[in-house]
Protein backbone atom coordinates (compact mmCIF):
# COMPACT_ATOMS: atom_id res chain seq x y z
CA UNK A 1 0.00 0.00 0.00
CA UNK A 2 1.34 3.42 -0.94
CA UNK A 3 2.40 5.55 1.99
CA UNK A 4 0.10 8.51 2.49
CA UNK A 5 1.15 11.83 4.02
CA UNK A 6 -0.84 14.47 5.85
CA UNK A 7 -1.80 17.16 3.36
CA UNK A 8 -1.28 19.84 5.99
CA UNK A 9 1.94 19.02 7.91
CA UNK A 10 3.46 16.27 5.72
CA UNK A 11 3.73 13.59 8.42
CA UNK A 12 3.22 9.93 7.37
CA UNK A 13 -0.39 8.81 7.80
CA UNK A 14 -0.53 5.50 9.65
CA UNK A 15 -3.36 3.71 11.46
CA UNK A 16 -4.43 5.74 14.45
CA UNK A 17 -3.04 8.97 13.03
CA UNK A 18 -5.87 9.80 10.62
CA UNK A 19 -7.89 12.94 11.26
CA UNK A 20 -11.64 12.79 11.77
CA UNK A 21 -14.54 14.24 9.82
CA UNK A 22 -17.53 15.98 11.41
CA UNK A 23 -19.42 12.64 11.55
CA UNK A 24 -16.51 10.93 13.31
CA UNK A 25 -15.29 8.99 10.29
CA UNK A 26 -11.61 8.92 9.36
CA UNK A 27 -10.24 11.58 7.05
CA UNK A 28 -7.68 10.15 4.64
CA UNK A 29 -6.04 13.49 3.79
CA UNK A 30 -5.07 14.88 7.17
CA UNK A 31 -3.58 13.66 10.45
CA UNK A 32 -5.37 13.88 13.80
CA UNK A 33 -3.00 16.64 14.92
CA UNK A 34 -4.06 18.89 12.01
CA UNK A 35 -7.70 17.93 11.47
CA UNK A 36 -10.30 16.87 14.02
CA UNK A 37 -14.10 16.73 13.93
CA UNK A 38 -14.18 18.22 10.44
CA UNK A 39 -12.03 21.26 11.24
CA UNK A 40 -8.37 22.20 11.18
CA UNK A 41 -7.00 22.31 14.71
CA UNK A 42 -4.79 25.35 14.01
CA UNK A 43 -5.69 28.43 11.98
CA UNK A 44 -2.19 28.55 10.48
CA UNK A 45 -0.73 30.01 7.34
CA UNK A 46 1.65 27.71 5.47
CA UNK A 47 4.75 29.42 6.86
CA UNK A 48 3.36 29.18 10.40
CA UNK A 49 2.84 25.44 9.89
CA UNK A 50 6.45 25.11 8.76
CA UNK A 51 7.72 26.95 11.85
CA UNK A 52 5.47 24.77 14.02
CA UNK A 53 6.81 21.57 12.43
CA UNK A 54 10.42 22.65 12.99
CA UNK A 55 9.85 22.09 16.72
CA UNK A 56 9.88 18.36 15.98
CA UNK A 57 13.04 18.34 13.85
CA UNK A 58 15.05 16.15 16.24
CA UNK A 59 12.29 13.53 16.27
CA UNK A 60 11.99 13.73 12.48
CA UNK A 61 15.75 13.31 12.02
CA UNK A 62 15.80 10.29 14.33
CA UNK A 63 12.88 8.54 12.63
CA UNK A 64 14.14 9.22 9.10
CA UNK A 65 17.84 8.61 9.84
CA UNK A 66 18.71 12.15 8.80
CA UNK A 67 20.80 14.94 10.25
CA UNK A 68 19.15 18.03 8.80
CA UNK A 69 19.74 21.44 10.29
CA UNK A 70 16.72 23.68 10.88
CA UNK A 71 17.70 25.75 7.83
CA UNK A 72 17.95 22.67 5.61
CA UNK A 73 14.64 21.31 6.88
CA UNK A 74 12.91 24.65 6.35
CA UNK A 75 14.23 24.87 2.79
CA UNK A 76 12.85 21.39 2.06
CA UNK A 77 9.45 22.20 3.54
CA UNK A 78 9.22 25.49 1.63
CA UNK A 79 9.59 23.44 -1.58
CA UNK A 80 7.32 20.56 -0.50
CA UNK A 81 4.43 22.21 1.35
CA UNK A 82 3.04 24.22 -1.60
CA UNK A 83 2.20 20.86 -3.22
CA UNK A 84 0.11 19.66 -0.26
CA UNK A 85 -3.68 19.86 -0.61
CA UNK A 86 -4.16 22.41 2.19
CA UNK A 87 -1.65 24.85 0.75
CA UNK A 88 -2.14 24.39 -3.01
CA UNK A 89 -4.82 27.06 -3.17
CA UNK A 90 -3.32 30.50 -2.69
CA UNK A 91 -4.64 32.41 0.31
CA UNK A 92 -6.18 35.46 -1.37
CA UNK A 93 -7.28 37.23 1.80
CA UNK A 94 -5.87 40.76 2.16
CA UNK A 95 -2.94 41.14 4.55
CA UNK A 96 -5.07 43.20 6.92
CA UNK A 97 -7.52 40.31 7.31
CA UNK A 98 -4.68 37.86 7.92
CA UNK A 99 -3.23 40.27 10.49
CA UNK A 100 -6.50 40.25 12.47
CA UNK A 101 -6.25 36.47 12.78
CA UNK A 102 -2.56 36.73 13.70
CA UNK A 103 -3.24 39.21 16.51
CA UNK A 104 -5.97 36.92 17.87
CA UNK A 105 -3.39 34.11 18.08
CA UNK A 106 -1.07 36.18 20.29
CA UNK A 107 -1.44 36.47 24.06
CA UNK A 108 1.26 39.13 24.30
CA UNK A 109 2.48 42.08 22.27
CA UNK A 110 5.66 44.13 22.46
CA UNK A 111 5.15 47.85 23.01
CA UNK A 112 7.88 50.46 22.62
CA UNK A 113 7.81 53.90 24.21
CA UNK A 114 10.34 56.66 23.60
CA UNK A 115 12.39 57.57 26.68
CA UNK A 116 13.67 61.01 27.68
CA UNK A 117 16.92 60.39 25.79
CA UNK A 118 15.05 59.63 22.57
CA UNK A 119 15.65 55.87 22.63
CA UNK A 120 12.92 53.25 22.11
CA UNK A 121 12.08 51.22 25.22
CA UNK A 122 10.34 47.94 24.24
CA UNK A 123 8.48 45.83 26.80
CA UNK A 124 6.25 42.79 26.46
CA UNK A 125 2.68 43.18 27.68
CA UNK A 126 -0.52 41.13 27.77
CA UNK A 127 -3.22 42.32 25.38
CA UNK A 128 -6.63 42.56 26.97
CA UNK A 129 -8.70 43.76 24.01
CA UNK A 130 -8.16 44.42 20.32
CA UNK A 131 -9.93 46.07 17.40
CA UNK A 132 -8.97 45.01 13.92
CA UNK A 133 -5.24 44.44 13.60
CA UNK A 134 -4.01 47.86 14.76
CA UNK A 135 -5.74 48.77 18.02
CA UNK A 136 -4.69 47.13 21.29
CA UNK A 137 -5.60 47.80 24.92
CA UNK A 138 -3.27 46.85 27.78
CA UNK A 139 -3.34 47.30 31.56
CA UNK A 140 -0.44 48.65 33.58
CA UNK A 141 0.61 50.55 36.70
CA UNK A 142 0.19 54.32 36.76
CA UNK A 143 3.68 54.64 38.21
CA UNK A 144 5.45 52.54 35.58
CA UNK A 145 8.33 53.85 33.48
CA UNK A 146 6.42 53.34 30.24
CA UNK A 147 3.52 55.45 31.49
CA UNK A 148 5.98 58.22 32.35
CA UNK A 149 7.37 57.93 28.82
CA UNK A 150 3.92 58.10 27.24
CA UNK A 151 2.89 61.10 29.32
CA UNK A 152 5.87 62.97 27.86
CA UNK A 153 5.66 61.53 24.33
CA UNK A 154 2.68 59.52 23.09
CA UNK A 155 4.48 58.15 20.02
CA UNK A 156 4.77 54.36 20.18
CA UNK A 157 5.59 51.16 18.35
CA UNK A 158 3.84 47.83 18.77
CA UNK A 159 4.56 44.43 17.26
CA UNK A 160 3.25 40.89 17.52
CA UNK A 161 4.23 37.54 15.98
CA UNK A 162 3.19 33.91 15.98
CA UNK A 163 5.28 31.12 14.46
CA UNK A 164 7.18 33.45 12.18
CA UNK A 165 4.36 35.65 10.88
CA UNK A 166 4.54 39.18 12.27
CA UNK A 167 3.12 42.70 12.16
CA UNK A 168 4.97 45.83 13.29
CA UNK A 169 3.00 49.02 13.89
CA UNK A 170 3.81 52.66 14.41
CA UNK A 171 1.29 54.89 16.15
CA UNK A 172 0.32 56.55 19.42
CA UNK A 173 -0.74 55.54 22.93
CA UNK A 174 -3.60 57.07 24.91
CA UNK A 175 -3.46 56.74 28.70
CA UNK A 176 -6.99 55.80 29.85
CA UNK A 177 -8.08 56.57 33.43
CA UNK A 178 -11.85 56.77 32.92
CA UNK A 179 -13.56 54.76 35.69
CA UNK A 180 -16.26 53.27 33.44
CA UNK A 181 -13.74 52.07 30.85
CA UNK A 182 -11.41 50.68 33.51
CA UNK A 183 -14.32 48.72 35.01
CA UNK A 184 -15.39 47.47 31.57
CA UNK A 185 -11.86 46.30 30.75
CA UNK A 186 -11.20 44.70 34.16
CA UNK A 187 -10.18 41.03 34.20
CA UNK A 188 -10.15 38.81 37.27
CA UNK A 189 -6.42 38.12 37.17
CA UNK A 190 -5.66 41.85 37.49
CA UNK A 191 -6.40 41.53 41.22
CA UNK A 192 -2.90 40.13 41.72
CA UNK A 193 -1.49 43.47 40.57
CA UNK A 194 -4.25 45.85 41.66
CA UNK A 195 -5.61 44.57 45.01
CA UNK A 196 -8.28 47.28 45.28
CA UNK A 197 -9.98 46.08 42.11
CA UNK A 198 -11.23 48.23 39.22
CA UNK A 199 -11.18 51.33 41.45
CA UNK A 200 -7.48 50.89 42.29
CA UNK A 201 -5.84 54.25 41.51
CA UNK A 202 -2.72 52.46 40.29
CA UNK A 203 -4.70 50.60 37.61
CA UNK A 204 -4.76 52.34 34.23
CA UNK A 205 -5.10 51.35 30.60
CA UNK A 206 -2.94 51.97 27.56
CA UNK A 207 -4.77 52.22 24.24
CA UNK A 208 -2.48 51.86 21.24
CA UNK A 209 -3.71 53.00 17.83
CA UNK A 210 -1.58 52.21 14.79
CA UNK A 211 -1.12 54.60 11.87
CA UNK A 212 1.43 52.65 9.80
CA UNK A 213 2.02 48.92 9.47
CA UNK A 214 4.71 46.55 8.23
CA UNK A 215 3.46 43.03 7.47
CA UNK A 216 5.40 39.77 7.14
CA UNK A 217 2.74 37.11 6.75
CA UNK A 218 3.03 33.79 4.91
CA UNK A 219 6.12 35.00 3.06
CA UNK A 220 4.47 38.26 1.95
CA UNK A 221 6.10 41.56 2.96
CA UNK A 222 4.40 44.95 2.72
CA UNK A 223 4.19 48.45 4.22
CA UNK A 224 0.84 50.20 4.63
CA UNK A 225 -0.73 53.38 5.98
CA UNK A 226 -3.74 52.70 8.17
Amino acid sequence: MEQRFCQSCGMPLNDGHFGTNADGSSNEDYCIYCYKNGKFTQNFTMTQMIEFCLQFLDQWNTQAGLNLTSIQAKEQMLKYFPHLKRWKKKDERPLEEKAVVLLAQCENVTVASVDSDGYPRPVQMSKIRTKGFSEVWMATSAGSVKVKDFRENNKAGLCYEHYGDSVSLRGTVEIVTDDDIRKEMWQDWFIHHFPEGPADKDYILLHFTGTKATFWINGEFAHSDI
Side-chain angles (χ1 to χ4, degrees), residues 19-21 27 30-41:
T20 56
N21 296 313
N27 184 286
Y30 302 109
C31 72
I32 191 63
Y33 307 111
C34 289
Y35 199 78
K36 191 173 183 179
N37 299 325
K39 297 179 181 179
F40 289 110
T41 58

Side-chain angles (χ1 to χ4, degrees), residues 131-158:
K131 182 180 179 181
F133 70 91
S134 61
E135 285 191 59
V136 181
W137 284 261
M138 300 146 284
T140 192
S141 168
S144 65
V145 174
K146 57 184 168 291
V147 170
K148 176 179 179 296
D149 287 344
F150 288 131
R151 289 192 191 281
E152 297 176 358
N153 184 346
N154 72 341
K155 292 179 179 178
L158 184 144

Side-chain angles (χ1 to χ4, degrees), residues 2-15:
E2 182 182 358
Q3 175 68 65
R4 301 177 66 90
F5 296 89
C6 174
Q7 296 298 297
S8 172
C9 70
M11 75 170 284
L13 283 173
N14 301 314
D15 290 343

Side-chain angles (χ1 to χ4, degrees), residues 8-9 31-36 39-46 48-49 52 55-56 86-87 93 101 105 162-163:
S8 172
C9 70
C31 72
I32 191 63
Y33 307 111
C34 289
Y35 199 78
K36 191 173 183 179
K39 297 179 181 179
F40 289 110
T41 58
Q42 298 278 12
N43 190 10
F44 280 161
T45 62
M46 187 188 78
Q48 284 181 314
M49 177 59 77
F52 178 80
Q55 297 178 101
F56 309 103
R86 184 178 182 184
W87 313 117
R93 293 175 301 162
V101 175
Q105 292 172 325
H162 189 64
Y163 287 114

Side-chain angles (χ1 to χ4, degrees), residues 133-194:
F133 70 91
S134 61
E135 285 191 59
V136 181
W137 284 261
M138 300 146 284
T140 192
S141 168
S144 65
V145 174
K146 57 184 168 291
V147 170
K148 176 179 179 296
D149 287 344
F150 288 131
R151 289 192 191 281
E152 297 176 358
N153 184 346
N154 72 341
K155 292 179 179 178
L158 184 144
C159 63
Y160 50 92
E161 73 87 28
H162 189 64
Y163 287 114
D165 284 352
S166 67
V167 174
S168 299
L169 299 162
R170 189 171 76 181
T172 58
V173 161
E174 174 191 7
I175 298 170
V176 180
T177 58
D178 180 86
D179 287 343
D180 290 337
I181 298 176
R182 292 193 306 152
K183 185 176 181 180
E184 177 191 350
M185 296 279 189
W186 178 264
Q187 297 187 12
D188 290 343
W189 64 272
F190 290 176
I191 199 69
H192 300 293
H193 303 282
F194 308 108

